[in-house]
Amino acid sequence: MTLATALRAGLRTATHWKRIGRDADFERQQFTFWFVRDNADHEKNCDRQRMSNLDLFRHDFVLSIKPEYAIKIVSGQKKVELRRRFPYGTVTGAVMYIYASAPIQAVIGYATISTVEELPVERIWANYSDVAFIARDDFDAYYAERTSGFVIKLQDPVAVPEPVPLSLLKDRLGFTPPQSFAYADDAFRQLIRGSER
């Protein structure tokens, strides 16, 4: 079954995912997420976040993305992800795990971050509209009242053979989908990469 077929079918049945959970040979591990909320109130508190630049370099990312965009990323069509805010100076080679939001609600793949650029909003549209797969009206609404934004350039996308559903992520890692993005540790990486075996 192809990824697209699996997604249309609702990512298998609950019984199937329970079996996958029993078969996976991962130990339970405590998984801590530092959530960055995509709202103005949290933005005021960002400076108080206790994470150094070195800490950022040790983390891959989990991004919550609408299904229509998430599927295009793992298929290799969508070359960039646009964000209102993102850690500046993110190390090249970090991995972006792609959590497709409702109705899919699963990690469906990942891609490597080649670079992250902060640009004026109009330059983002001029330079990347052809690979961002977003309509102009949606773009304008997303960046409303902002003068700049971030472009996450992606390469080497991978669609995992068995999308990892939210139920399993919660059970094994205590995962809650981030509103914007979260940092992933080894437990998360092992669970997602294990689905490729």
Side-chain angles (χ1 to χ4, degrees):
M1 180 180 290
T2 66
L3 173 63
T5 302
L7 297 177
R8 287 196 296 270
L11 299 175
R12 310 288 199 274
T13 64
T15 301
H16 173 84
W17 288 116
K18 288 178 182 177
R19 177 179 61 76
I20 293 295
R22 289 196 300 269
D23 290 347
D25 59 339
F26 297 107
E27 296 180 358
R28 286 183 182 275
Q29 299 184 46
Q30 182 63 41
F31 185 53
T32 303
F33 280 97
W34 290 269
F35 292 112
V36 177
R37 303 298 182 187
D38 203 3
N39 57 57
D41 289 339
H42 184 84
E43 186 177 19
K44 295 176 182 177
N45 296 325
C46 284
D47 289 342
R48 294 198 290 271
Q49 180 143 347
R50 297 184 180 279
M51 181 176 290
S52 68
N53 288 336
L54 182 61
D55 290 327
L56 288 176
F57 293 165
R58 288 200 296 262
H59 285 278
D60 292 332
F61 299 87
V62 186
L63 271 72
S64 184
I65 301 174
K66 291 181 179 180
E68 60 266 33
Y69 302 134
I71 293 170
K72 284 184 171 63
I73 289 174
V74 299
S75 70
Q77 296 174 274
K78 192 173 188 291
K79 307 293 186 183
V80 299
E81 173 63 9
L82 308 181
R83 292 281 149 159
R84 285 187 281 255
R85 54 186 68 88
F86 199 73
Y88 190 76
T90 298
V91 65
T92 297
V95 175
M96 186 181 90
Y97 291 95
I98 299 155
Y99 175 83
S101 57
I104 292 175
Q105 296 183 300
V107 173
I108 64 170
Y110 54 89
T112 301
I113 297 174
S114 60
T115 57
V116 177
E117 290 185 297
E118 183 178 13
L119 295 171
V121 168
E122 283 305 315
R123 278 193 60 195
I124 293 175
W125 179 258
N127 294 353
Y128 297 106
S129 59
D130 58 335
V131 292
F133 285 88
I134 185 170
R136 181 69 205 229
D137 287 348
D138 293 334
F139 177 88
D140 290 341
Y142 183 69
Y143 283 116
E145 299 181 3
R146 297 194 66 87
T147 58
S148 66
F150 292 85
V151 179
I152 307 168
K153 294 185 181 180
L154 303 171
Q155 63 187 23
D156 304 325
V158 175
V160 296
E162 295 288 345
V164 183
L166 178 58
S167 58
L168 185 59
L169 293 166
K170 282 183 174 180
D171 181 57
R172 303 302 291 266
L173 304 173
F175 175 83
T176 300
Q179 291 183 9
S180 180
F181 70 86
Y183 299 107
D185 71 358
D186 286 340
F188 188 92
R189 286 188 283 266
Q190 289 172 12
L191 182 58
I192 303 306
R193 297 300 180 95
S195 71
E196 298 177 283
R197 297 172 185 165

